[in-house]
């Protein structure tokens, strides 16, 4: 058996010492040679009573546990004892769990040193004022924009299953639900394109209810619709009253 040259103050605890002994002997954690490991462990903690360590009792408790496992392994087994758990299994589970935490802490320590000398600037709040828009548009222009989107959606949509129309019935979509949908979209961003309100998977009733919701919100001064020449689409923004 090799001479043990370890110092106890270099280990975080008894599991750390045991894991080092197992790695040094190149043995499987799940098949610990308990006699040899116990002897090496006892040699490593020899004189621990005089050592000035905060966790001295932990090393002594582990020593007692190893001696207990060793005695269990050396005792002859009866037929009734064949189904008993290997006395090393519980210790092996603790060692595997400790090893996993130890490896995880090494990875976290790498991240700690990688950002140790970095200085991060706090995020600044930038206000983007909504530009003044003085052009008034007729409702017909918004209707025309909706009709253009509606026709494109129809061309992309899958053919309807008319054979089941009498069984399934018509889909009911609430305009109030669509108002809430528009409000949520505006909370995520202060402005939104008119066309972005309509998704490819939207049904006809959903599209119509969404359009009616836009008209209702404009009527109640909760929404502004400004035409953007670049996108060739209306840009919707919440009015001050609607916020």
């Amino acid at each position: 058996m090799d001479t043990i040259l370890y110092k106890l103050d270099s280990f975080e605890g008894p599991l750390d010492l045991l894991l080092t002994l197992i790695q040094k002997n190149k043995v499987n954690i799940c098949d610990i040679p308990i006699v040899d490991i116990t002897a090496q462990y006892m040699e490593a903690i020899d004189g621990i009573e005089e050592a000035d360590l905060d966790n001295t009792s932990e090393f002594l408790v582990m020593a007692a546990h190893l001696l207990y496992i060793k005695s269990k392994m050396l005792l002859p087994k009866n037929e009734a004892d064949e189904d008993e758990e290997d006395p090393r299994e519980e210790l092996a589970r603790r060692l595997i769990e400790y090893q996993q935490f130890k490896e995880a802490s090494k990875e976290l320590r790498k991240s700690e040193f990688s950002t140790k000398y970095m200085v991060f600037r706090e995020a600044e709040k930038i206000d983007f004022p909504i530009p003044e828009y003085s052009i008034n548009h007729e409702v017909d222009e918004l209707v025309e924009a909706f009709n253009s989107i509606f026709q494109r959606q129809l061309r992309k949509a899958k053919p309807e299953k008319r054979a089941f129309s009498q069984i399934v019935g018509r889909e009911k979509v609430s305009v109030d639900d669509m108002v809430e949908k528009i409000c949520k979209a505006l909370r995520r961003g202060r402005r939104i394109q008119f066309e972005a309100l309509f998704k490819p998977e939207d049904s006809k009733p959903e599209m119509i209810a969404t359009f009616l919701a836009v008209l209702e919100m404009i009527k109640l001064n909760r929404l502004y619709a400004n035409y953007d020449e670049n996108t060739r689409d209306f840009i919707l923004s919440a009015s001050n009253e609607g916020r």
Side-chain angles (χ1 to χ4, degrees), residues 75-89:
L75 286 174
K77 289 186 178 180
N78 300 323
E79 291 184 4
D81 299 331
E82 290 182 358
D83 295 334
E84 286 188 5
E85 184 184 67
D86 189 325
R88 299 172 297 175
E89 285 189 17

Side-chain angles (χ1 to χ4, degrees), residues 18-27 99 102-103:
L18 266 180
L19 190 61
T20 302
L21 291 172
I22 288 170
Q23 292 171 345
K24 175 181 176 291
N25 287 276
K26 298 179 180 179
V27 294
Q99 186 179 36
K102 189 173 182 179
E103 290 173 357

Side-chain angles (χ1 to χ4, degrees), residues 42-82:
M42 297 302 292
E43 185 175 347
I45 68 168
D46 184 35
I48 191 174
E49 292 87 347
E50 291 78 28
D52 185 19
L53 295 174
D54 294 333
N55 56 349
T56 299
S57 60
E58 295 179 14
F59 286 94
L60 293 175
V61 169
M62 179 58 73
H65 188 57
L66 288 172
L67 291 171
Y68 169 75
I69 295 174
K70 178 182 175 181
S71 64
K72 290 274 289 185
M73 297 288 291
L74 293 175
L75 286 174
K77 289 186 178 180
N78 300 323
E79 291 184 4
D81 299 331
E82 290 182 358

Side-chain angles (χ1 to χ4, degrees), residues 183-243:
C183 290
K184 286 181 180 179
L186 288 170
R187 281 196 288 269
R188 290 192 296 268
R190 295 175 65 182
R191 307 172 73 197
I192 187 172
Q193 281 187 247
F194 179 59
E195 187 173 357
L197 293 177
F198 305 95
K199 307 300 180 186
E201 63 272 14
D202 286 352
S203 63
K204 290 181 185 178
E206 286 177 321
M207 294 183 68
I208 293 171
T210 300
F211 179 60
L212 292 175
V214 170
L215 293 179
E216 183 67 18
M217 292 178 74
I218 292 173
K219 179 183 175 182
L220 297 174
N221 290 326
R222 295 180 60 187
L223 198 66
Y224 288 135
N226 304 324
Y227 190 73
D228 186 7
E229 292 290 345
N230 295 324
T231 60
R232 296 184 180 278
D233 190 13
F234 280 92
I235 303 297
L236 305 178
S237 58
S239 68
N240 292 326
E241 295 179 14
R243 290 184 195 144

